[in-house]
Amino acid sequence: MYQYDAIDQQIVDERVAQFRDQVGRRLRGEITENEFKPLRLQNGLYMQMHAYMLRVAIPYGLLSSEQVRKLAHIARTYDRGYGHFTTRQNIQYNWPRLVDVPDILAELASVQMHAIQTSGNCVRNTTADHLAGVARDEIEDPRPYCEIIRQWSTFHPEFAFLPRKFKIAVTGSRSDRAAVRVHDIGLRIVEQNGERGFEVLVGGGLGRTPRVTRKIREFLPREHLLSYIEAVLRVYNQHGRRDNKYKARIKILVDALGADGFREQVEAEWALIKDSALRLTDEEFERVRGHFAPPPYRTLPDSDGAVAAMSLGTDRGFGNWLKQNVKPHKVPGYSIVIVSCKPTGGAPGDVTADQLDGLANLAETHSFGKITVTHTQNAVLADVESSRLREVWQRLTELGLANPNIGTVTDMIACPGLDYCNLANARSIPVAQRISTTLDNADYLYDLGDLSLKISGCINACGHHHVGNIGILGIDKSGEEFYQLMLGGSAGEDASLGKIIGRAFPSDEIVEALEQVLALYIERRTSPEESFVAFYRRVGAAPFKERLYASA
Amino acid sequence: MTRLIVTGAATVDGRPIYMRRDGSWVDQLSKAAAVDQQDECDALLARARSDEGTVCDPYAIRVTVEGESVRAVSFREVIRAGGPTVAATV
């Protein structure tokens, strides 16, 4: 993984010292909250309902075991013993005291981490496929490109005050596990005539105006990565709306100009800078890629058959976990373990300090000391020898991180909702907890198959409800929590936005409504091979409306 | 009957705090000054806004008062006063 050089370290250390001074002045009353707010937001520090919230950047979700231990230490020492994995592959702490934040940032800096650009109208953490480097369908590891984008975008003086926040995702695989089609810029690594480059997608996003990206370039040669996205940012920075924050994202500009109009402006801007110092040389690319060299894998026999055989053994718990939470690795003899942070009845994405320490230990003993946070609020041990899967499963079970539910309806994304968030209209976590408890039946979950459920507590859509096969959106109706059901969304390569199925349900009816939706699917699908989203696309909303509202 | 209470986030740690009649701050909604009149509330709010070292972004909320019991009218403020409803999150 990328290691800071002296300049990186100096930048981060100096930012800690600067913020320590700013916090001191705020606490001594020398600056007002209005003056302090933009300073704290530039360091990832929000004010939420009960406390400050610190969002720590995890570039493309990748962590060393040392960093994971530091995150555990921070949770234990400065917070309430846990953190929360986010949909930008970051981690949030819900209870830091302002006076402690400079110390927390110093602790982070000691392991090459920070909270810079995790808030504010700037380029946020660039996300990637969480199976980067190990997926069988991968064309190329996207993380070196993410790191190059990270270095380019960090403290980029031209893009520190964009019209709104800006999110970039990169995938190097044919399957889209990084939701690139709902990002401001989505980059897909593709090949053309033996050359690697990018398909460039722009103008995706969720929130109150959800959009799937529009393609503006079939093939961008690798060397032009930075100049082209700089051109995109320049057009957005110049023409994006600043008069209305709800119309300030790039998707609104792309709507206004049309994909062709937007492309024309980008290409014109790009023509001015494509041969500038932004050109990515082979030497620079190889320098960064060198940080992502494969670990020293052992030469082992193929283990696909052995894993399949183990999954059919008499130990059903282990077998279920192998089927759901273990994925095939590109290197023979190795497997990818998805660590479920969705225990039955738990808060999706929450991890305790003890769990983080346990994960760090497991990473060191079983996965070359690395962990990846997923945008679906889980974690990945990417390089586990298949012959040692049982040991990993046993340890994860002890840690409460082995719920065999990856890809099922209880592997939910949920935002913090009204229990924590100042923007939320309704709670998300209690709904997620009730759903996971109600549907805690392995046979039923597996019969439902791959099915994504995503829950947001408000229209800002941090829980990605628009792109859940089933989405739940919390709303406030005259002071009471209600929940809208949306069906048919997808965040993958077949990205689509879900549609609201009808009137919202009160809190005490939403889980039953979900059960009705699932029951209809089970009853009427052509076969278990017809996925929920395929079924919805075939039959449309009508039968669901009839089932949900016929008696009303 | 509903009354008005001035609240904000404590600068030091962001916790919800509520203003007393003497301008000091408490953690409990029930110990705050619950006033009837808008002009009384405005006066408290003006005082709160001059206390930036203690409180961030003060504002007024409606509460119901029945005997010793004080409860925020909005669900958001109920949760804010009582803490997350999912305290044991993991």
Side-chain angles (χ1 to χ4, degrees):
Chain A
M1 66 190 290
Y2 184 76
Q3 300 293 308
Y4 282 8
D5 63 18
I7 294 172
D8 295 320
Q9 191 66 53
Q10 182 180 349
I11 287 173
V12 173
D13 289 343
E14 287 179 355
R15 175 50 88 89
V16 174
Q18 181 188 50
F19 192 57
R20 189 181 294 282
D21 176 65
Q22 291 162 344
V23 168
R25 285 190 284 146
R26 174 72 186 109
L27 290 170
R28 290 192 299 274
E30 295 168 11
I31 54 176
T32 66
E33 175 61 11
N34 277 346
E35 291 166 327
F36 182 61
K37 186 175 178 180
L39 304 176
R40 66 170 164 76
L41 288 176
Q42 286 172 17
N43 290 283
L45 188 63
Y46 289 75
M47 180 74 85
Q48 295 289 34
M49 282 173 61
H50 311 287
Y52 291 93
M53 181 273 280
L54 180 67
R55 183 179 294 148
V56 177
I58 303 175
Y60 31 92
L62 183 61
L63 290 163
S64 69
S65 54
E66 180 190 22
Q67 290 172 327
V68 176
R69 283 208 179 82
K70 182 62 75 177
L71 295 177
H73 168 73
I74 289 168
R76 195 176 280 123
T77 308
Y78 302 99
D79 210 85
R80 294 193 179 179
Y82 68 98
H84 176 78
F85 288 144
T86 80
T87 54
R88 288 220 74 66
Q89 297 178 284
N90 292 325
I91 190 168
Q92 293 180 178
Y93 294 105
N94 287 321
W95 303 96
R97 298 189 313 153
L98 179 58
V99 68
D100 291 332
V101 173
D103 290 338
I104 296 172
L105 296 180
E107 297 254 22
L108 291 170
S110 73
V111 294
Q112 305 190 353
M113 295 184 76
H114 59 70
I116 296 163
Q117 291 183 204
T118 58
S119 174
N121 295 335
C122 54
V123 180
R124 303 288 188 89
N125 189 36
T126 297
T127 50
D129 181 358
H130 52 261
L131 303 189
V134 294
R136 283 194 182 166
D137 65 342
E138 187 171 87
I139 298 167
E140 187 177 354
D141 187 341
R143 294 170 302 179
Y145 298 109
C146 294
E147 177 57 29
I148 288 164
I149 293 169
R150 188 191 72 79
Q151 295 188 18
W152 160 83
S153 63
T154 300
F155 295 142
H156 193 308
E158 197 174 328
F159 306 136
F161 296 98
L162 294 167
R164 276 295 271 141
K165 57 187 169 183
F166 202 90
K167 300 177 180 179
I168 302 173
V170 189
T171 181
S173 292
R174 289 172 179 85
S175 299
D176 181 6
R177 290 173 289 263
V180 299
R181 284 176 172 78
V182 286
H183 277 74
D184 296 294
I185 294 178
L187 297 169
R188 290 184 62 242
I189 298 173
V190 291
E191 279 183 320
Q192 189 178 87
N193 302 323
E195 186 186 0
R196 295 274 167 77
F198 302 92
E199 180 184 86
V200 182
L201 310 160
V202 300
L206 301 174
R208 66 187 61 219
T209 315
R211 291 287 183 275
V212 173
T213 53
R214 280 135 289 180
K215 190 190 299 183
I216 60 167
R217 203 160 227 285
E218 286 283 348
F219 186 79
L220 176 72
R222 184 178 79 190
E223 62 184 329
H224 296 306
L225 170 66
L226 294 183
S227 60
Y228 201 82
I229 60 176
E230 178 133 329
V232 171
L233 264 295
R234 280 188 171 184
V235 171
Y236 169 55
N237 203 19
Q238 185 171 3
H239 299 297
R241 289 183 60 171
R242 292 174 186 271
D243 61 320
N244 182 340
K245 72 178 287 192
Y246 302 121
K247 295 184 176 179
R249 296 290 291 269
I250 192 174
K251 58 194 171 187
I252 304 298
L253 179 63
V254 176
D255 279 356
L257 297 175
D260 290 339
F262 186 80
R263 178 191 302 113
E264 284 172 20
Q265 295 213 23
V266 170
E267 296 277 335
E269 184 66 36
W270 184 48
L272 303 174
I273 59 175
K274 66 185 290 191
D275 295 317
S276 69
L278 289 168
R279 182 186 285 268
L280 182 59
T281 64
D282 288 346
E283 183 185 15
E284 172 61 5
F285 176 69
E286 291 303 332
R287 181 186 75 83
V288 176
R289 190 167 72 162
H291 290 281
F292 298 89
Y297 293 117
R298 294 203 303 149
T299 302
L300 298 168
D302 178 89
S303 59
D304 286 3
V307 173
M310 283 193 289
S311 72
L312 299 173
T314 54
D315 187 336
R316 189 147 182 262
F318 182 49
N320 285 344
W321 180 79
L322 287 170
K323 286 179 197 165
Q324 292 301 133
N325 296 24
V326 174
K327 308 298 174 190
H329 196 290
K330 71 178 184 182
V331 175
Y334 286 84
S335 291
I336 304 164
V337 171
I338 314 290
V339 177
S340 174
C341 301
K342 317 286 174 61
T344 301
D350 275 10
V351 281
T352 65
D354 289 346
Q355 287 174 327
L356 287 166
D357 277 337
L359 278 177
N361 293 339
L362 261 179
E364 281 179 357
T365 56
H366 289 76
S367 194
F368 299 107
K370 303 290 186 300
I371 286 166
T372 306
V373 178
T374 78
H375 89 271
T376 52
Q377 301 179 291
N378 292 309
V380 175
L381 293 164
D383 298 298
V384 176
E385 285 187 25
S386 300
S387 61
R388 303 183 71 187
L389 283 168
R390 181 177 283 276
E391 299 164 30
V392 172
W393 171 70
Q394 287 169 334
R395 185 69 190 116
L396 288 174
T397 301
E398 290 164 8
L399 291 168
L401 295 170
N403 198 7
N405 64 345
I406 297 300
T408 72
V409 71
T410 61
D411 182 15
M412 291 168 272
I413 290 179
C415 71
L418 190 55
D419 280 299
Y420 294 96
C421 178
N422 259 339
L423 301 176
N425 292 320
R427 290 175 292 170
S428 300
I429 296 170
V431 174
Q433 290 173 317
R434 280 191 281 140
I435 290 170
S436 76
T437 303
T438 302
L439 300 180
D440 185 28
N441 176 324
D443 289 335
Y444 184 58
L445 289 181
Y446 302 155
D447 189 26
L448 289 167
D450 280 356
L451 205 169
S452 63
L453 172 61
K454 303 177 195 288
I455 307 173
S456 301
C458 76
I459 194 66
N460 292 298
C462 294
H464 293 190
H465 62 275
H466 297 105
V467 287
N469 298 163
I470 301 173
I472 295 178
L473 167 64
I475 59 175
D476 177 339
K477 285 176 79 168
S478 305
E480 283 191 46
E481 295 171 299
F482 275 70
Y483 295 89
Q484 286 181 330
L485 265 178
M486 305 180 84
L487 302 181
S490 170
E493 56 276 13
D494 61 343
S496 59
L497 302 171
K499 299 242 181 351
I500 295 172
I501 198 72
R503 66 170 170 74
F505 296 91
S507 179
D508 60 359
E509 294 178 15
I510 183 62
V511 178
E512 187 185 339
L514 172 66
E515 289 185 290
Q516 290 294 325
V517 166
L518 298 175
L520 178 76
Y521 161 61
I522 292 276
E523 289 163 20
R524 300 201 192 170
R525 65 188 176 186
T526 53
S527 75
E529 282 66 49
E530 185 180 38
S531 69
F532 178 87
V533 75
F535 172 74
Y536 177 82
R537 287 170 180 170
R538 178 170 63 83
V539 304
F544 290 102
K545 285 178 191 276
E546 187 180 332
R547 174 68 65 96
L548 289 166
Y549 302 111
S551 60
Chain B
M1 66 181 296
T2 67
R3 292 184 180 170
L4 294 159
I5 281 177
V6 170
T7 183
T11 301
V12 67
D13 57 11
R15 74 186 189 283
I17 52 177
Y18 304 93
M19 198 176 209
R20 291 163 59 124
R21 205 169 286 274
D22 65 359
S24 62
W25 296 89
V26 289
D27 292 348
Q28 298 92 344
L29 191 67
S30 59
K31 294 185 178 171
V35 299
D36 293 324
Q37 303 299 319
Q38 188 64 48
D39 56 348
E40 289 180 280
C41 178
D42 291 344
L44 286 175
L45 204 47
R47 190 167 181 176
R49 286 181 179 137
S50 68
D51 192 9
E52 283 244 26
T54 306
V55 67
C56 300
D57 301 328
Y59 59 100
I61 61 170
R62 288 215 163 266
V63 296
T64 55
V65 181
E66 291 177 15
E68 296 290 300
S69 170
V70 181
R71 182 180 168 86
V73 170
S74 88
F75 189 53
R76 168 185 302 280
E77 291 298 332
V78 171
I79 292 177
R80 197 167 157 268
T85 63
V86 287
T89 50
V90 283

